[in-house]
Amino acid sequence: MPTTNPTLTPDEALAVLLEGAERAALDRPLRPNSDKSRRELLRKEQHPIAAVVGCSDSRVPMEYAFDVGYGDLFAIRTAGHTLGETVIGSIEFAVEVLQVPLVMVLGHTSCGAVDAAKATFDSGDTPPGNIAALVERILPSVVQAREDATTPGLSGAVEAHTRRTVKILRDLSHVLYRAEKAGKVKIVGAVYSLDTGTVKLVDPVD
C-alpha cells in the first residue's frame, strides 16, 4: 500500500512504485490516498516517496500509472523528459529538501519527442521554433541507439534516451551524485508501455 513515510529506503520506495504499476497494469488499482482527508493531511507538509522525471505525454498520468495518490509523487514532466537547469534543480530540491529516497526517470513507448528527434536524424530537417532545442537534447540518444542496435527502432531510442538521462543526472548534479553514493537515494530508469501499462526497469549506463 502506498505510503508517504519518510523513512522508506530507496529499495522500499522502488518496490512500492513497481507494485502499484503492476496493479494498474492488471486493472486492479486500489486508488489510495485520493480522498478529501488525504488532501487536508497534506496542507502543511509533504513527504513524497519518489521524484519521477517523466514525459509530458497525456497518455502517461503518473499517479494512475503507479496507482498512488495525493502527495506520493514529486512529478517533473517535460517532453521527452529532457533536462535543463530548472529540471535538475527541481530534482535536487526533491532529494535535498523533501528527502525523497528514489528518483525515477520514466520514458514511455511511442514517445513523440524521441520520434521527432529520430525523424530529424533521418531527414536532416530542423523542426520549427524551440522544438529544435528540444530535439537537440534527444539526438545523442538516437545516435547511441543506432550504434547499439540491441533494440531497434523507436523502442531502442526510447530505452537509450532513458538510460542516458539517468547518466546525465549523475554526471551533472553533484547533489544527486553525493546522495546516491551515500545511499540516501537511488536513481533508476524505467519505460512505461502504452500498450500494456507495465513499467520495465532499464539497465543502468556505467
Side-chain angles (χ1 to χ4, degrees):
M1 173 73 91
T3 174
T4 56
N5 188 335
T7 62
L8 280 179
T9 67
D11 287 335
E12 288 170 343
L14 180 58
V16 169
L17 289 196
L18 294 180
E19 288 166 8
E22 183 177 9
R23 290 194 305 271
L26 294 172
D27 199 24
R28 298 172 186 168
L30 299 177
R31 297 283 187 264
N33 301 334
S34 300
D35 57 12
K36 179 181 177 182
S37 63
R38 176 65 172 179
R39 294 199 313 270
E40 292 175 345
L41 183 66
L42 293 167
R43 282 183 298 185
K44 294 183 179 180
E45 62 180 10
Q46 59 172 322
H47 298 288
I49 60 174
V52 181
V53 188
C55 183
S56 300
D57 196 299
S58 64
R59 298 168 294 179
V60 193
M62 292 180 182
E63 282 77 13
Y64 281 91
F66 293 106
D67 191 29
V68 293
Y70 293 120
D72 288 323
L73 300 181
F74 189 85
I76 303 120
R77 302 180 67 167
T78 61
H81 53 78
T82 49
L83 300 177
E85 289 184 357
T86 55
V87 174
I88 295 175
S90 297
I91 302 165
E92 290 177 345
F93 176 85
V95 171
E96 281 286 289
V97 179
L98 301 180
Q99 299 183 344
V100 298
L102 178 70
V103 173
M104 177 182 282
V105 175
L106 184 66
H108 69 90
T109 59
S110 302
C111 179
V114 176
D115 195 31
K118 185 173 175 290
T120 295
F121 180 82
D122 291 336
S123 68
D125 296 334
T126 301
N130 288 304
I131 300 174
L134 172 71
V135 164
E136 184 178 349
R137 293 176 185 267
I138 302 174
L139 274 173
S141 301
V142 173
V143 174
Q144 188 176 45
R146 293 291 177 92
E147 293 174 349
D148 180 15
T150 303
T151 304
L154 181 56
S155 295
V158 167
E159 289 194 16
H161 185 51
T162 303
R163 293 188 184 96
R164 181 169 160 271
T165 303
V166 171
K167 186 176 187 303
I168 291 172
L169 287 178
R170 291 188 175 124
D171 290 347
L172 294 188
S173 173
H174 295 300
V175 170
L176 299 181
Y177 178 82
R178 287 196 305 267
E180 189 170 40
K181 283 295 183 183
K184 296 178 180 179
V185 70
K186 175 176 282 191
I187 306 172
V188 301
V191 174
Y192 174 82
S193 171
L194 295 182
D195 293 329
T196 64
T198 55
V199 174
K200 181 186 76 171
L201 294 177
V202 298
D203 296 329
V205 176
D206 295 330

